[in-house]
């Protein structure tokens, strides 16, 4: 039995949900998102809450039950509050700045890295050593943050690179003389 799936998804004020077959559409202040579920689950909307129930008791139906509930909860959170990932840059001379729709990164390479920001995501650089990625799609926000971090992941000896805010980087001891 799915413990996650049993709990209905509450719709906060200003957020509406509509059903058409297996597709649920959630509208809020930040935008509109849709999710199409498999035929293993059924959606019902009851008094500002979305309830998900499995069709049958097969293993796949129970798996889809919890997954569908999590997806709908993410849609609701995305259109009401949005998602946010914060990155910090550490290293001498490492910095970031926004120029239009392009994030310019100086990361110790012989050239500047120009990162084109995709549609649906907002990237800001409040300080030269901070990057904030925001959007309504959790997967897209996480992927953009991971793509930026990939340019210079933190290394274990000096800790230089791009890391998530609050991320712990395991440090190694250098060579002994």
């Amino acid at each position: 039995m799915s413990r996650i799936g049993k709990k209905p998804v509450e719709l906060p004020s200003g957020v509406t949900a509509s059903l058409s077959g297996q597709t649920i559409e959630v509208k809020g202040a930040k935008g509109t998102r849709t999710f199409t579920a498999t035929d293993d689950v059924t959606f019902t909307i009851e008094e500002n809450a979305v309830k998900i129930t499995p069709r049958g008791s097969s293993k796949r139906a129970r798996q889809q039950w919890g997954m569908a509930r999590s997806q709908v909860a993410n849609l609701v959170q995305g259109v009401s509050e949005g998602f946010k990932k914060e990155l910090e840059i550490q290293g001498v001379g490492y910095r970031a700045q926004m120029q239009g729709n392009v994030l310019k990164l100086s990361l110790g390479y012989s050239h500047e890295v120009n990162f084109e920001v995709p549609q649906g995501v907002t990237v800001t650089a409040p300080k030269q050593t901070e990057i904030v990625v925001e959007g309504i799609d959790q997967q897209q926000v996480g992927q953009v943050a991971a793509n930026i971090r990939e340019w210079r992941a933190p290394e274990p000896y000096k800790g230089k690179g791009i890391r998530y805010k609050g991320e712990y980087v395991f440090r190694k001891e250098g060579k002994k003389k």
Side-chain angles (χ1 to χ4, degrees):
M1 272 310 228
S2 172
R3 285 183 244 161
I4 296 170
K6 288 179 188 175
K7 190 176 176 191
V9 179
E10 297 293 325
L11 297 174
S13 60
V15 176
T16 59
S18 59
L19 279 172
S20 60
Q22 286 297 99
T23 302
I24 187 164
E25 182 177 30
V26 181
K27 292 181 185 173
K30 293 195 178 256
T32 304
R33 296 283 326 260
T34 60
F35 170 67
T36 305
T38 60
D39 291 330
D40 296 314
V41 293
T42 307
F43 292 118
T44 53
I45 299 173
E46 305 168 354
E47 311 168 10
N48 76 338
V50 178
K51 198 168 172 112
I52 296 104
T53 52
R55 291 182 185 166
S57 59
S58 68
K59 184 176 182 180
R60 179 171 161 78
R62 287 180 286 131
Q63 290 170 343
Q64 294 296 317
W65 184 21
M67 193 272 304
R69 193 261 179 215
S70 296
Q71 290 285 354
V72 172
N74 287 341
L75 296 185
V76 170
Q77 184 182 345
V79 298
S80 60
E81 303 161 26
F83 293 99
K84 180 179 178 180
K85 287 271 189 184
E86 295 179 16
L87 301 163
E88 50 189 30
I89 302 173
Q90 288 188 355
V92 177
Y94 289 14
R95 55 184 165 268
Q97 67 180 29
M98 283 299 296
Q99 283 187 348
N101 197 31
V102 176
L103 178 67
K104 292 196 174 282
L105 299 165
S106 299
L107 299 172
Y109 295 119
S110 61
H111 55 85
E112 242 182 19
V113 174
N114 294 328
F115 183 80
E116 191 76 32
V117 179
Q119 198 74 28
V121 175
T122 310
V123 176
T124 55
K127 294 182 190 169
Q128 287 186 339
T129 59
E130 286 182 12
I131 302 169
V132 179
V133 182
E134 296 176 296
I136 62 172
D137 184 357
Q138 184 182 29
Q139 193 276 329
Q140 192 178 20
V141 167
Q143 188 62 54
V144 168
N147 290 346
I148 292 170
R149 182 182 183 274
E150 200 174 66
W151 279 103
R152 184 70 91 176
E155 54 96 22
Y157 295 101
K158 292 185 179 176
K160 294 171 20 172
I162 302 173
R163 63 178 76 181
Y164 296 110
K165 195 166 201 160
E167 178 184 359
Y168 175 75
V169 176
F170 179 77
R171 302 293 291 272
K172 291 182 178 178
E173 192 175 331
K175 219 194 251 186
K176 296 205 169 137
K177 288 191 174 182

